Amino acid sequence: METVSPLKPAEPRDRKLSIHVVTWNVASAAPPLDLDHLLQLDKQDPNLDMYVIGLQEMSCGIMSLLSDTAFEDPWSSFFMDVLSPLSFVKGNKGGVNICLKLYGYYVSIINCHLPPHLANNDQRLEHFDWILEMQNFEGPDIPNILDHDLIVWFGDMNFRIEDFGLHFVREAVKSQCYSDLWEKDQLSIAKRCDTLLREFQEGPLLFPPTYKFDKNSNNYDTSEKKRKPAWTDRILWRLKRQPHTDTCTPRRPAPHLSLSLRSYISHMMYTISDHKPVTGTFDLELKPLVSVPLISLMPEGLWTMENAMLINYSLTPDFPSSPWDWIGLYKVGLRHINDYVSYVWVRDNQISFNDGLNQVYINISDIPETEDQFLLCYYSNSLRSVVGISNPFKIQPQAFLEEDPLGEVQPQI
């Protein structure tokens, strides 16, 4: 049996991740035929590491609810049809608040749909504060949202334009004099007054108001209500501030984590809804707080005649292992964590462990005979997430194995 000596961890290098955030109130419409522009897939090299997609007003009729219980909803299915061939995987979280841990940093992602109508601004602000102050995550040592290193908040926030009449707003939009409208944008006004909201940043509103349009057109509302155009669909972010004892000195973002906005635009070409989608593309730069992954999976060279059933993996000393942890075998291009070809419970199938190196086996009958590429993923029950992913590999032709009556594994040529 091979042994692995622990290596001295190298000084962690700065990392840069590109994140593409999408918010869209789809007004119960079905997905359009093409979303390449929305996802930047029509670019030569989009250079994106993560998609964060938040939708509002997805169809929620009784038939839709019954269907979604048994099947994936059509919007999720459509997005994954496009993104899974590019090696993106949809997580298994529900609701509108997701906590991620990236290289030791806590990131909170919030998708919201705040109360509508011009007169309900106070109610919108109350909901905003309530979401931030009252939400807590289950799990070991996960801080409150406001203590996360980065918060990305987006959605149909429903903030409107005050004071100006319909004609003035439409003429300002037509002539692209957006700066005339910024001073009366309810969110911009609130950011000047609300201490908590003031900590959130937003890119410049250099695109037309995204609400309200006649469906299947680029015309603003021509119904009897003739609602004023407004920037209801927004993307905000907040970096955690470091405390300073000197109250006269402004607080500064943590020096090891920075977020820069690459683009903040709307997409007028999509007409299925009375809202236009908005995207923000960010570059997240950070110095990793952890130098090694919690779990390292090593499939290289394992799928041979001698050790076809073995999976080697190592784990950090402080990893919170559980009897319900499992390793899944997936084809490259998986859409969801439940798309495994086979899986093993790590405790039930463990055959050896030494200095952090562990071995488990997968029964030979569960390994498919195919030329596809595969991945191994380690799922942590304690952390409720995937904590280790192997590099892609091919399963080589191998001998068949079977157990003899004494329980010993014997090769069969």
Side-chain angles (χ1 to χ4, degrees):
M1 184 179 71
E2 221 174 45
T3 61
V4 177
S5 301
L7 299 176
K8 181 180 179 180
E11 182 70 19
R13 296 179 298 174
D14 287 359
R15 296 298 180 105
K16 185 174 182 178
L17 300 173
S18 298
I19 303 172
H20 190 64
V21 181
V22 179
T23 180
W24 193 2
N25 183 322
V26 298
S28 301
L33 296 177
D34 186 352
L35 289 172
D36 284 359
H37 183 63
L38 186 69
L39 301 175
Q40 292 195 352
L41 299 179
D42 54 352
K43 293 189 175 182
Q44 186 71 23
D45 182 14
N47 189 28
L48 295 172
D49 298 297
M50 183 187 300
Y51 284 93
V52 178
I53 301 171
L55 306 178
Q56 304 88 42
E57 290 193 21
M58 294 172 60
S59 179
C60 56
I62 184 63
M63 292 306 296
S64 176
L65 289 174
L66 291 174
S67 175
D68 291 349
T69 301
F71 307 102
E72 195 172 41
D73 69 87
W75 277 96
S76 296
S77 179
F78 190 88
F79 275 117
M80 292 315 301
D81 284 342
V82 176
L83 295 177
S84 59
L86 303 177
S87 300
F88 289 95
V89 180
K90 181 171 75 84
N92 63 343
K93 305 295 184 183
V96 295
N97 202 339
I98 297 174
C99 173
L100 304 176
K101 200 171 185 183
L102 296 176
Y103 297 100
Y105 294 90
Y106 282 99
V107 177
S108 188
I109 296 172
I110 304 171
N111 170 26
C112 73
H113 190 179
L114 300 181
H117 307 308
L118 179 67
N120 290 332
N121 192 44
D122 289 343
Q123 191 177 357
R124 280 188 284 276
L125 295 174
E126 288 175 5
H127 282 207
F128 195 96
D129 290 343
W130 182 82
I131 292 172
L132 281 175
E133 294 173 355
M134 300 300 293
Q135 283 290 329
N136 289 298
F137 292 100
E138 294 182 3
D141 303 322
I142 300 179
N144 182 273
I145 291 177
L146 290 173
D147 292 319
H148 283 203
D149 299 289
L150 171 64
I151 300 173
V152 180
W153 188 313
F154 57 95
D156 180 1
M157 298 188 180
N158 259 319
F159 290 106
R160 307 303 171 96
I161 296 173
E162 294 184 347
D163 297 340
F164 295 137
L166 174 63
H167 179 74
F168 180 88
V169 172
R170 288 194 173 182
E171 285 300 312
V173 173
K174 186 177 180 180
S175 59
Q176 298 185 9
C177 296
Y178 305 133
S179 59
D180 293 342
L181 306 177
W182 294 341
E183 289 296 313
K184 298 298 181 180
D185 170 66
Q186 289 179 331
L187 179 55
S188 300
I189 295 171
K191 280 173 60 63
R192 296 194 292 267
C193 305
D194 188 286
T195 304
L196 191 57
L197 193 54
R198 191 183 304 152
E199 296 188 2
F200 283 83
Q201 302 180 60
E202 183 182 17
L205 297 171
L206 301 178
F207 50 86
T210 55
Y211 175 84
K212 173 180 170 69
F213 289 87
D214 293 336
K215 289 186 179 180
N216 303 312
S217 80
N218 283 325
N219 300 320
Y220 285 103
D221 187 16
T222 60
S223 70
E224 291 182 2
K225 294 183 178 179
K226 288 187 172 59
R227 295 181 180 88
K228 281 193 299 184
W231 287 287
T232 57
D233 309 280
R234 313 289 277 268
I235 300 174
L236 311 177
W237 72 93
R238 173 189 181 267
L239 290 169
K240 184 181 178 181
R241 305 289 175 168
Q242 287 186 315
H244 285 261
T245 54
D246 183 2
T247 57
C248 298
T249 304
R251 292 183 298 172
R252 300 178 183 276
H256 300 305
L257 184 72
S258 65
L259 190 74
S260 57
L261 181 64
R262 193 193 305 174
S263 71
Y264 188 35
I265 59 175
S266 65
H267 299 262
M268 296 291 290
M269 65 181 291
Y270 297 103
T271 62
I272 61 170
S273 171
D274 54 355
H275 290 251
K276 299 298 181 183
V278 172
T279 60
T281 306
F282 299 88
D283 290 320
L284 176 63
E285 295 189 49
L286 53 85
K287 182 180 287 294
L289 299 177
V290 292
S291 57
V292 294
L294 293 174
I295 297 289
S296 296
L297 293 158
M298 297 161 282
E300 294 84 3
L302 299 180
W303 308 101
T304 63
M305 183 182 302
E306 291 79 14
N307 56 4
M309 300 175 71
L310 295 180
I311 299 171
N312 291 335
Y313 70 93
S314 63
L315 65 165
T316 58
D318 57 346
F319 176 71
S321 61
S322 162
W324 300 106
D325 290 355
W326 51 275
I327 296 175
L329 174 67
Y330 300 84
K331 289 184 180 180
V332 170
L334 70 151
R335 299 159 60 97
H336 192 274
I337 190 61
N338 292 333
D339 293 342
Y340 49 79
V341 176
S342 178
Y343 72 92
V344 291
W345 300 103
V346 293
R347 293 281 182 89
D348 291 348
N349 295 276
Q350 184 171 280
I351 57 175
S352 68
F353 59 93
N354 181 28
D355 293 331
L357 181 67
N358 296 264
Q359 292 184 324
V360 297
Y361 68 89
I362 292 181
N363 190 290
I364 194 66
S365 63
D366 294 329
I367 299 177
E369 296 182 9
T370 176
E371 291 298 315
D372 292 320
Q373 284 198 316
F374 291 84
L375 293 168
L376 294 170
C377 295
Y378 188 109
Y379 184 85
S380 166
N381 184 68
S382 299
L383 300 177
R384 299 183 183 180
S385 66
V386 172
V387 293
I389 301 178
S390 75
N391 291 323
F393 61 92
K394 281 191 174 181
I395 297 179
Q396 303 299 327
Q398 51 196 304
F400 288 95
L401 302 174
E402 66 178 17
E403 289 190 1
D404 69 7
L406 298 178
E408 298 290 335
V409 176
Q410 302 291 340
Q412 302 292 318
I413 306 300

